Each structure stands twice: as C-alpha cells, then as structure tokens.
Amino acid sequence: MSPKNHDRRSARERLQAQRAKEHARSRRRRQAVVAGSVLAVLGAAGGLAVWAATAGSGGSSSDNETARPRQATGGDRPAVPVGAPDAPSTLTVWEDFRCPACQQFEVGFRPVIHELEDAGHLKAEYHLVTIIDGNTGGQGSLNAANAALCAQDAGRFREYHDVLYSNQPKDELDDKFADKQHLIKLAGKVKGLVTPAFTQCVNDGRYNGFVRKSSEAFSRSGYGGTPTVLLNGKNLAKEKNGHFTPKDLRKAVLAASKGKQPGKVPTTGTSTAPSTTPGTAPSTGASHRTGGSPEDS
C-alpha cells in the first residue's frame, strides 16, 4: 500500500471513529428524554439527577448463574444490603458504576446515607446494573459490579463501592473499569481487601451472572434510568419536582424513625442479610414479583 493510500485510509478510519462517537452521544441525548420524568441536575442544591438509558446484560452465558455473594439477597431482584437489617427505613438504589449521574448522587448523598446507616435509622439495598455497557459497549459496568460483589464476600462492599465512584472515569465512554487489574489496584485503597480470594473472584467474574440477573430485573422494572432511588417505596426523582436533597433525605428518614427503636448496626462488615456460603445460592431465598411497582422493591 502506497503512503498516499495509507494516509487516506487512516483519515477515513479517524472520520468513522469520530462519527461513531458522535452517534453514541446523540443516542444518549435522545434517551435522556424520559416521558413523565423530571430530570434534575445535581448542582449546588444537591438534588437527585437521573441518567436515562436501557440496561445491557453484559457477560457471557458461560458465567456462573447461581453464584451469590455472601449475605446478598437473591430472587428476581438480587441486591446487596448495607446497614442494620431492622432499621426503620429502607433506601433502594439501582445504579451503574459507569453512570455519571450515579456518581453525582453518590458523592452528594454519601455522607448523609452513611450517617443514617451508622445510626441504625436506615438500611440500603443496592441493585447493580450495566446500563452503560448496554448503550456504549464494553464491560466496565459488569466488571466493576462483579468486583464490588467480590468485596461483599470480604465484608467490604460499602468501602469499595465508594472507592469505585470516587475513581469513576471522567468520560462514560472511557471503559477503564473493564480492566480487572485496575479494579484490583483500586481495591488496594480498602484496607485488607486485596487477597488471593478477592483477586481470583475478580479475575474469574464469579458474580457476572448475579449482575446480569439484576440488570434484567431493572429492564423489567419500568424505571426510566439510573440512579433510581426509592425511600420506603417512594421514588425520590418524583419528590419535590426531582430536587430531593440530602437534607430532605435526612429529614424524611428521621421523621420515619420518630418513636421507633433504631436498628442494630452490624459490628463488622457492611452486610445485613442472613449469612450464606460465598459463591453459592442457598436452597431458599426471597423471590419478588418481577415488573412490580416501586413499593414491591
């Protein structure tokens, strides 16, 4: 091939790549318009932002479909519990580790959520999904979610979950979380998390099936995007015209706790469900109706 033809080919490939990038951005802009939803920007007021998209399954059919992280709940809506199991209020969170709006929510609401969890007023249930993988391609959402579930086995889900959001790539097109060695390196920020067991769990994609099932549940749920955050069954994106703030969350949770005994916060780890053997699905477990209303979550 002559240098001239090579230059033409390179220019054509660059143009095609740029067009593909612009097409992806245009598609995400169209998906951000969700009928009947009020999309708020998490700015100075600390309101709840929403990233609208469609969930992707990610992974391959060869993944272990039955593996369940320690103390996670199964059924049709798999989740990781954090906080006191008998706390008066429940925060249900559907989120994607590559989702920019999820990162905004986590950074803005994290201090209040931790405060309320640690005081026994609030328990959280995290449903991990793979929206960005489905929309832009890649495996960062899947691999990061699997790594977080591996951290759950070590009783360090909350800490590692926060590390991932604090180190989220600045551009959602950057699939850096697909790099498992990068995920293991980030785990080094959580004391005692990086062990041979954790490393093998991440590299093997042990909980890819669990994440895929959670993503399928999100697809059936009818929710418009992530983060979808429910407090005692109420979708916070629909409260106060979508400008629900951390201060509002604290007020609502404390009001629900009035006259009630705070839950007993676990002394070790972050999980709350009955203990199970890592990597296996118990013979019994909660099963939820699919496609139900937020109150069913």
Side-chain angles (χ1 to χ4, degrees), residues 20 53 57 60 79 88 97 117 156 161 165 176 208 212 227 235 245 258 263 266 273:
S57 60
S60 66
F97 283 112
E117 287 173 345
R156 293 291 182 267
H161 165 276
Y165 276 114
K176 196 169 186 178
N208 285 359
R212 190 162 49 245
N235 192 333
T245 69
K258 190 173 182 179

Side-chain angles (χ1 to χ4, degrees), residues 4 17 72 74 99 109 118 141 146 162 166-167 199 246 249 251-252 286 295:
K4 186 175 181 179
C99 162
F109 282 76
D118 295 343
S141 300
N146 173 70
D162 293 349
S166 295
N167 292 272
T199 299
L249 177 62
K251 183 178 179 181
E295 287 76 13

Side-chain angles (χ1 to χ4, degrees), residues 112-126:
V112 171
I113 292 174
H114 285 190
E115 170 195 327
L116 295 170
E117 287 173 345
D118 295 343
H121 295 302
L122 180 72
K123 64 180 177 182
E125 296 177 351
Y126 288 94

